[in-house]
Amino acid sequence: MMQLSNDTQSNKHSLLNVMNRFIAAANNMDETIMVPSLLRDVPLEEQDSQASVGHNNNDPPFPSKQRDMYEHYLLLKSLKNDMEWGLLKREMSGGASFLEMAVKQEELPQVNGGATEEGSDLEGQFHYHLHGLFAVLSKLTVQADHLTNRYKREIGGGSLLR
């Protein structure tokens, strides 16, 4: 069995560290928010002012699809579960998982490019997706921390209670 060295585990720029930080932030959020239903109909308005802090200005802004803090909480919790347990079988394409669908898509020959080359820039693809994964996990960690802190602040002030 392969063991990771302490250097790899302690490197703050490692993928494992970024993943662990997101999972820890999501676990903290889940442990702190004892009554998630209190988050219903509470807008994500504060997220817009917070989103500009700590993010690269070159990143395009993505509008949030969650209408309230409750939906955002459920999204973060779902993403954490997907990371810990893997993607569940989906109803799409005959029950194939997203991973299986991606592998099948990569195996298809390119229509205009002729035969695909055996190692066609796998390193470039890997680094592209790794960079994206780092960026997304960092943003999700910040969002989970923000949701937790806002919940604490709102519950302390009693403004979520009706």
Side-chain angles (χ1 to χ4, degrees):
M1 189 160 111
M2 188 173 103
Q3 293 183 356
L4 296 175
S5 69
N6 288 337
D7 293 340
T8 304
Q9 291 176 345
S10 65
N11 184 352
K12 69 178 184 174
H13 300 291
S14 77
L15 179 59
L16 294 174
N17 191 331
V18 173
M19 289 171 50
N20 286 333
R21 279 189 284 160
F22 168 67
I23 290 172
N27 284 338
N28 183 40
M29 174 192 73
D30 201 28
E31 291 170 5
T32 301
I33 299 174
M34 301 302 282
V35 186
S37 62
L38 290 176
L39 300 172
R40 286 190 192 273
D41 300 325
V42 177
L44 289 170
E45 66 208 20
E46 283 192 7
Q47 186 177 6
D48 294 335
S49 63
Q50 181 268 344
S52 63
V53 177
H55 294 298
N56 185 349
N57 290 336
N58 296 332
D59 291 341
F62 293 102
S64 178
K65 295 183 186 215
Q66 295 77 40
R67 293 182 298 247
D68 60 16
M69 286 180 60
Y70 180 72
E71 288 182 12
H72 197 63
Y73 166 82
L74 292 178
L75 171 73
L76 292 168
K77 190 171 176 176
S78 172
L79 293 174
K80 179 196 72 110
N81 286 338
D82 284 348
M83 283 183 59
E84 288 183 322
W85 300 102
L87 296 174
L88 300 175
K89 295 283 182 183
R90 307 289 183 193
E91 295 289 316
M92 301 173 5
S93 20
S97 71
F98 287 125
L99 179 59
E100 291 166 340
M101 290 175 10
V103 169
K104 286 179 185 175
Q105 184 67 26
E106 288 293 322
E107 291 173 350
L108 294 176
Q110 295 176 354
V111 175
N112 295 334
T116 51
E117 296 178 23
E118 184 64 30
S120 63
D121 197 26
L122 289 177
E123 183 181 4
Q125 290 177 16
F126 172 78
H127 287 289
Y128 173 79
H129 290 292
L130 185 64
H131 177 73
L133 188 56
F134 270 90
V136 168
L137 286 172
S138 296
K139 289 176 185 179
L140 290 172
T141 301
V142 168
Q143 290 177 355
D145 288 339
H146 174 72
L147 188 75
T148 302
N149 292 334
R150 183 158 175 220
Y151 178 84
K152 287 178 184 177
R153 193 170 54 247
E154 296 287 340
I155 288 298
S159 64
L160 282 178
L161 302 174
R162 296 172 199 214

